[in-house]
Amino acid sequence: MVTVKLAKTAGFCFGAKRAVDMVQALLDRGERAATLGPILHNARLVAHLEARGARVVESPAQTPPGAALVLRSHGVPREIEEEVRALGLRYVDATCPNVKKIHVLAREAGAQGRIFLLFGDPGHPEVRGIVSHCAGPYFVCEGEEELQDLLKTHPELRTAPVTAAAQTTFHKIYWQKCAETLKKVCTNAAVFDTICNATAKRQKEALDLARQCDRMVVVGGRDSSNTAKLRDICAEECETYLIERADELPAFSAGLSVGITAGASTPASIIKEVLDTMAEINSTEQNFEEMLEESLKSMNTDEKVHGVVVGISPTEVYVDVGRKQAGFIPAAELSSDPSVKPEDVLKIGDEVELLIMKTNDQEGTIMLSKRRVDAMKGWDVIQEAQENGDILEGKVIEVVKGGVIVLHNALRVFVPASQATATRGEELESLQGKEVRFRIIEVNRQRHRAVGSIRSVLREERKAAQEKFWEQVEEGQAYTGKVKSLTNFGAFVDLGGVDGMIHISELSWNRVKHPSEVVKVGDTVDVYVKGLDKETGKISLGYRRPEDNPWVKLEREYPVGTVCEAKVVGMTAFGAFASVIPGIDGLIHISQIADHRIEKPQDVLKVGDVVKVKITDVDLERHRVSLSIRVLLEEEQAEADAAAAGAPENETVYSTEAPEEE
């Protein structure tokens, strides 16, 4: 029988219930309603409201005539609010009051000249809405590691006035670590704990429950941020499943204890449905267990025997155990790795220690297990490895919800997602089938549970690589690295345990608005070290090559006096800038635009025009190029005047007629 425990705080939070009640109230009054995006991240609830007539729209302009537009609990960006008012729409603001408070903090930070630092998911609607209210500089961090990177690349944050807050559904434990760092490192930081109390309480209860249970079930929408965080929290303690409906419940073995919690956007009706389904399963299991117990009374199980392999088939291995019964090992009981074949594990003639699973005297057979004997032996190795901090090796045989399963000497070790990769957010699927090194961080023989950490080994290896790197690195040294992340000001590159940054100005000789125009995450790039700061661990990298310098090309191919076509790319009061070659813009001074006086450049030119110009001056040191249209016009006019006079300019005229007599 499966024991089921339900978290006390599960389901709707205040803000979610308030938003749904607002939509329900409109529909109950017979009014037309539309929600700007799903009112909550719960597909079933949204479908229910749509069935009642609440339409989901992607923009205010799509609001049906006469309908009231409901702004969801996450809030919306300020520009959306302005669009709603500009369209004259009737609207209901269901933004959670806790989110509204963060909007105020963001606005006040800008008004006070403070840098606003928000912890959360940059792509989440709540975060996008909050940052739209920032009137000054701001940064968004997803956790402690990103905060450390930010402090390295922006050391001014250590002394500048900073206002820090968190997304209302941010991971409570992660927030506490980030807040401690800010208070220690930043001398002028105002830190506000803006995580919703209901969220914090729900996360704590889920953590406590996961520590008591063998499995956890988190009920909620897969797109819900707070539901995903509950899953991550529980997955660090035990195998965890995220489901949206009761029919997604996995099959649980008898004897397990299963904890159930639910996200803030999960209605009570769905939680009840899951509990009812679990109750039905328990009832069925109980009846099955009673029948099974009756049929197994004559079996002599849990006894170890030695046997010799006498036959192998695709589904079984046949073993002589020195008894009258024929022994066989089902393929599933050969190894904990489901991908291996029987012939990969044993061969005829092998002697093997086995565990009796079931004896059937009527058929004269004994069902045996090699996998369970190996696992029993493995517990001693695992226990010793935990005590000594040894590094073990194993193969990732399965990616489960909340982590991965690593097989080590027939023992399945659960590695939570938070301990499976070097940084948060990496895809777990990439680990499938790979050999990994890990440590054991928890062993519970009674619950047949071992928990490992790949991350701790990766971090040690990274630290060793960093020490080796700093011993050898020199300015000008070339490296091949992988682009790790992009920011507005540059690209971070993993050089093999150490990160360096290519500033946006170093990515290309041409102007770029964002690093993504040149590189993307995952790209392999060749770089060289431009600057080092061993105290802060800061590494500046160069990416663009001297031979690609457009100024070298200009000097070589476009000397003063060259006539070429240039595209107008900008206008000022004193002239127009035109692109001579990619990466170099020259100035056509207002006095050089026409052969007559003009009031402003726009009288003659506009951005996008392609004009013929003459290069009149090049200052390589100051990176300035002077261009002229006027010189060409005057030269053309001089040629025309000469032609009109009847002879080419600068040529002598000889007459073929005889001179007249006097």
Side-chain angles (χ1 to χ4, degrees), residues 117 305 387 399 423 465:
L117 184 56
V305 294
E387 294 171 357
V399 177
T423 57

Side-chain angles (χ1 to χ4, degrees), residues 248-505:
E248 295 178 356
L249 276 167
F252 294 113
S253 303
L256 292 177
S257 59
V258 179
I260 298 178
T261 186
S265 54
T266 308
S269 59
I270 296 179
I271 301 172
K272 184 177 184 300
E273 183 181 295
V274 171
L275 290 172
D276 289 346
T277 303
M278 289 293 292
E280 290 175 10
I281 293 172
N282 260 345
S283 175
T284 304
E285 281 185 353
Q286 183 62 38
N287 294 336
F288 176 75
E289 285 178 354
E290 290 172 359
M291 292 185 290
L292 186 62
E293 185 178 352
E294 187 66 30
S295 65
L296 298 183
K297 283 181 179 177
S298 62
M299 295 183 187
N300 181 21
T301 59
D302 293 334
E303 180 183 343
K304 288 182 182 179
V305 294
H306 285 272
V308 177
V309 177
V310 295
I312 299 176
S313 78
T315 58
E316 296 174 332
V317 172
Y318 305 102
V319 184
D320 180 1
V321 293
R323 299 189 182 189
K324 62 180 181 179
Q325 298 101 330
F328 71 96
I329 312 170
E333 291 298 327
L334 279 168
S335 169
S336 295
D337 185 351
S339 65
V340 301
K341 299 176 182 179
E343 59 267 26
D344 296 333
V345 182
L346 294 171
K347 60 181 183 295
I348 294 175
D350 282 351
E351 293 186 11
V352 59
E353 187 176 10
L354 304 164
L355 184 72
I356 297 176
M357 297 289 295
K358 184 192 297 185
T359 301
N360 191 324
D361 292 331
Q362 291 182 346
E363 296 182 3
T365 60
I366 305 174
M367 187 171 76
L368 306 161
S369 173
K370 174 181 182 296
R371 174 177 68 86
R372 303 191 187 213
V373 173
D374 293 341
M376 290 176 187
K377 295 176 181 177
W379 281 111
D380 295 331
V381 176
I382 290 290
Q383 187 80 55
E384 185 178 351
Q386 183 199 21
E387 294 171 357
N388 299 334
D390 295 338
I391 295 176
L392 303 177
E393 294 184 358
K395 178 183 177 184
V396 176
I397 61 170
E398 190 176 356
V399 177
V400 297
K401 293 179 180 178
V404 298
I405 303 297
V406 179
L407 185 65
H408 174 76
N409 290 344
L411 194 67
R412 291 165 62 92
V413 178
F414 175 63
V415 180
S418 62
Q419 297 294 325
T421 55
T423 57
R424 292 180 65 239
E426 295 183 47
E427 293 292 333
L428 298 182
E429 284 71 19
S430 63
L431 294 175
Q432 179 74 48
K434 286 189 175 180
E435 295 289 335
V436 294
R437 287 156 53 83
F438 63 97
R439 276 197 179 85
I440 299 297
I441 57 177
E442 181 185 335
V443 175
N444 189 323
R445 286 201 179 196
Q446 288 73 30
R447 293 172 62 182
H448 300 286
R449 182 169 182 266
V451 180
S453 171
I454 299 172
R455 174 177 289 188
S456 66
V457 178
L458 290 175
R459 286 188 170 176
E460 276 189 10
E461 292 173 346
R462 186 178 180 87
K463 186 177 180 181
Q466 288 174 345
E467 291 175 354
K468 184 178 180 181
F469 176 90
W470 285 108
E471 289 175 1
Q472 301 174 347
V473 68
E474 295 178 357
E475 287 191 17
Q477 201 163 344
Y479 287 92
T480 298
K482 183 172 285 189
V483 178
K484 183 178 178 182
S485 63
L486 301 178
T487 68
N488 290 332
F489 49 84
F492 285 92
V493 178
D494 184 353
L495 302 175
V498 179
D499 293 343
M501 190 191 79
I502 311 171
H503 192 270
I504 189 169
S505 62

